[in-house]
């Protein structure tokens, strides 16, 4: 499991605009972008005791979360992801699923899931059986992303965060979502062993503050 560094900040609209202008001059735009941005739809998992949510709110140093995800309303490419946190560092494992495999996950079809020869699916299945992990809510947002090869740097600016209000109609691109309260614009900076000095300088802003903001937690306001 490769661990990556991560900074997360809440920023204003004016700061986001200025930052995007600077980043576009020296970094590549993410390949998923259409006219500079793309839509992310995720479906997060939790159990009846809201273990994932509570661990986030309590600041547990070692935690994990599972989610399904696709981009730009394209359900032809869906991934299952497991994101882990350990003492402030993060890692992500993912595997692509076909539509029938996604339906098996959404329907908690244990028999079908047992026949999927993908380790991450089998890990999810085990946790569905043992801890009651189930699909919980849709999270939508717009993402503008920039990448830089040395250091494997990725800078993302996420806005228009929306909640499905416990809806799990994940495969329906037209599923209704609403703004997640007063969710801010979120700047995230991720890198491996080192963060190039010029990137560090670019993302430093006087007024922004380090944040533990969670899109999933914000979208659980409504249930």
């Amino acid at each position: 499991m490769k661990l990556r560094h991560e900074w997360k900040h809440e920023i204003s609209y004016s700061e986001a605009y200025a930052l995007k202008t600077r980043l576009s001059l020296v970094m590549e735009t993410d390949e998923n972008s259409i006219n500079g941005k793309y839509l992310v739809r995720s479906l997060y998992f939790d159990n009846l005791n809201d273990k994932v949510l509570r661990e986030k709110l309590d600041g547990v140093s070692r935690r994990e979360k599972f989610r399904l995800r696709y981009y730009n309303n394209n359900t032809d490419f869906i991934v299952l992801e497991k994101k882990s946190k350990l003492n402030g560092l993060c890692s992500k494992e993912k595997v692509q699923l076909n539509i029938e495999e996604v339906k098996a996950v959404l329907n908690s079809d244990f028999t079908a899931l047992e026949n999927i020869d993908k380790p991450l699916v089998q890990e999810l299945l085990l946790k569905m059986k043992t801890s009651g992990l189930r699909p919980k809510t849709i999270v939508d947002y717009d993402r503008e992303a920039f990448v830089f090869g040395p250091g494997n740097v990725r800078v993302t600016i996420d806005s228009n965060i929306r909640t499905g209000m416990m809806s799990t109609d994940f495969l329906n691109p037209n599923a209704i979502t609403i703004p997640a309260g007063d969710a801010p614009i979120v700047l995230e900076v991720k890198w491996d062993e080192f963060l190039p000095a010029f990137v560090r300088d670019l993302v430093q802003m006087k007024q922004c503050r380090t944040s533990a903001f969670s899109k999933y937690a914000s979208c659980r306001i409504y249930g």
Side-chain angles (χ1 to χ4, degrees):
M1 181 174 66
K2 185 172 185 177
L3 295 173
R4 281 165 58 79
H5 300 267
E6 179 181 271
W7 284 345
K8 189 178 290 188
H9 303 288
E10 297 178 22
I11 61 177
S12 67
Y13 282 94
S14 59
E15 289 169 332
Y17 180 81
L19 181 58
K20 287 182 286 187
T21 301
R22 297 199 300 267
L23 291 173
S24 64
L25 296 175
V26 294
M27 298 180 72
E28 297 291 330
T29 303
D30 185 273
E31 61 184 4
N32 290 303
S33 299
I34 299 175
N35 296 324
K37 66 174 60 177
Y38 56 93
L39 171 67
V40 181
R41 165 159 289 183
S42 300
L43 177 66
Y44 285 83
F45 291 73
D46 213 330
N47 66 11
L48 288 175
N49 295 320
D50 289 327
K51 179 176 182 290
V52 176
L53 177 62
R54 291 179 182 276
E55 288 184 346
K56 170 61 183 177
L57 296 177
D58 291 342
V60 175
S61 62
R62 188 183 187 117
R63 60 186 189 271
E64 66 183 28
K65 58 187 175 187
F66 283 86
R67 64 193 179 204
L68 290 168
R69 174 168 287 186
Y70 61 86
Y71 305 94
N72 293 324
N73 292 324
N74 179 16
T75 56
D76 292 332
F77 182 82
I78 302 175
V79 293
L80 171 66
E81 297 182 342
K82 173 191 171 184
K83 187 172 182 181
S84 303
K85 282 287 187 89
L86 177 61
N87 297 325
L89 299 175
C90 63
S91 70
K92 186 165 65 176
E93 302 169 61
K94 63 182 179 180
V95 62
Q96 185 177 352
L97 304 184
N98 64 42
I99 199 71
E100 293 306 319
E101 292 169 339
V102 173
K103 289 179 180 178
V105 173
L106 295 176
N107 295 326
S108 302
D109 185 342
F110 292 173
T111 301
L113 290 172
E114 287 169 354
N115 294 321
I116 300 175
D117 187 21
K118 298 176 180 178
L120 196 57
V121 173
Q122 293 307 307
E123 182 179 350
L124 174 63
L125 173 60
L126 176 63
K127 289 169 182 176
M128 293 175 80
K129 288 180 175 180
T130 58
S131 63
L133 210 60
R134 292 292 187 275
K136 198 71 172 184
T137 191
I138 290 171
V139 176
D140 285 347
Y141 55 91
D142 295 326
R143 167 162 283 180
E144 295 166 271
F146 302 86
V147 295
F148 185 72
N152 191 20
V153 180
R154 182 173 177 82
V155 180
T156 59
I157 300 170
D158 299 334
S159 59
N160 191 28
I161 300 169
R162 302 175 66 83
T163 173
M165 301 177 294
M166 295 189 71
S167 169
T168 58
D169 194 10
F170 178 67
L171 294 175
N172 176 10
N174 297 315
I176 295 174
T177 60
I178 66 169
D182 295 323
I185 297 176
V186 180
L187 165 67
E188 295 183 10
V189 185
K190 300 177 184 178
W191 71 95
D192 289 345
E193 287 78 14
F194 72 98
L195 179 64
F198 84 91
V199 178
R200 185 186 300 268
D201 291 341
L202 281 174
V203 299
Q204 294 297 324
M205 287 171 288
K206 293 181 180 180
Q207 300 303 318
C208 75
R209 57 191 179 91
T210 302
S211 169
F213 180 84
S214 165
K215 300 181 189 72
Y216 171 61
S218 177
C219 287
R220 287 297 307 280
I221 292 173
Y222 301 97

